[in-house]
Amino acid sequence: MGDLFWVSDPKDHMRYLLKFQTMKGMTFSACWGVSVDFVPIFGRGKLTWKRTAKSAAFDLCIDPIDLSGSIPGWCSFYANDRDYHVERVALAAVKAARLDWSKITALGDVAHIFEQRAKMEFKRFSLENYVQTDLAWGLILIALGRLNEGQHRLDAFCQQFAIARGSTILAKAKDEATKMAAGRPAPLFG
């Protein structure tokens, strides 16, 4: 999607993402994760669809800074670094991302990663700091047939961000997830 943001083609309703985010001091640091097509994105106080590569955004973000508390050298570079250093960092980030992505091949794997990460100790941001966590985790659980757990997550999201439980986009996303759980195909359009 740009020089510092890569999005895969969709597979099982999800896309893999790799991004070098801008940090202080003209530093760029890698993070990676997953965007789930039927999960809307929350931003600027409202929900919108993100069903294309261009609109893909992190539903699950894996950021090495969260565990280390500082920017690790192996996955970051400065704007004025030499090309060989940037290439070495990019290769290391892709290798780490691919290792994590290899564990995420279906929606059930995304739910499992959320569950694992909820038990981890973080030095920076934990799952609760990511806006999409309860929204994505809840809709994925519903799509897996775990309605009560999923609804609990959606309720937490709605309460935290003052979103009406019956909002049009949220209701449509929940309906799609429910159809997936029942084995009926869910349309992938907004």
Side-chain angles (χ1 to χ4, degrees):
M1 296 315 304
D3 290 338
L4 301 174
F5 188 39
W6 177 83
V7 178
S8 76
D9 289 330
K11 179 185 177 204
D12 194 25
H13 306 286
M14 61 187 175
R15 300 167 194 269
Y16 301 118
L17 310 176
L18 173 65
K19 180 177 184 177
F20 280 91
Q21 56 194 339
T22 307
M23 308 299 283
K24 291 181 182 178
M26 289 304 292
T27 303
F28 296 91
S29 181
C31 61
W32 52 89
V34 176
S35 177
V36 180
D37 285 350
F38 66 89
V39 174
I41 183 87
F42 180 73
R44 298 183 181 168
K46 64 180 185 174
L47 293 167
T48 57
W49 293 117
K50 57 172 184 52
R51 299 182 189 269
T52 66
K54 186 175 180 180
S55 63
F58 289 99
D59 288 314
L60 171 64
C61 182
I62 299 170
D63 188 336
I65 300 171
D66 291 344
L67 291 176
S68 67
S70 60
I71 302 171
W74 66 269
C75 67
S76 64
F77 60 88
Y78 293 103
N80 63 350
D81 275 343
R82 297 192 182 270
D83 289 348
Y84 74 87
H85 179 72
V86 174
E87 184 177 332
R88 187 180 67 209
V89 166
L91 291 172
V94 167
K95 181 179 179 181
R98 283 185 174 155
L99 180 63
D100 284 330
W101 293 332
S102 71
K103 300 171 190 167
I104 307 171
T105 60
L107 288 175
D109 300 330
V110 181
H112 181 71
I113 297 295
F114 272 127
E115 290 162 4
Q116 282 184 323
R117 293 183 73 76
K119 296 174 187 172
M120 294 170 60
E121 271 191 51
F122 293 90
K123 293 185 178 177
R124 184 174 172 236
F125 296 143
S126 63
L127 284 179
E128 295 81 27
N129 294 100
Y130 289 98
V131 174
Q132 287 292 112
T133 297
D134 282 325
L135 175 62
W137 196 354
L139 288 169
I140 290 166
L141 288 171
I142 290 170
L144 296 172
R146 295 164 60 183
L147 184 60
N148 290 338
E149 293 172 84
Q151 188 60 57
H152 175 75
R153 292 267 171 208
L154 288 182
D155 290 345
F157 169 79
C158 290
Q159 182 176 358
Q160 183 177 2
F161 297 104
I163 297 292
R165 287 179 65 184
S167 77
T168 304
I169 291 179
L170 185 58
K172 173 76 173 154
K174 185 177 173 186
D175 184 57
E176 288 185 29
T178 302
K179 287 178 182 176
M180 291 172 74
R184 296 186 309 251
L188 288 179
F189 54 86

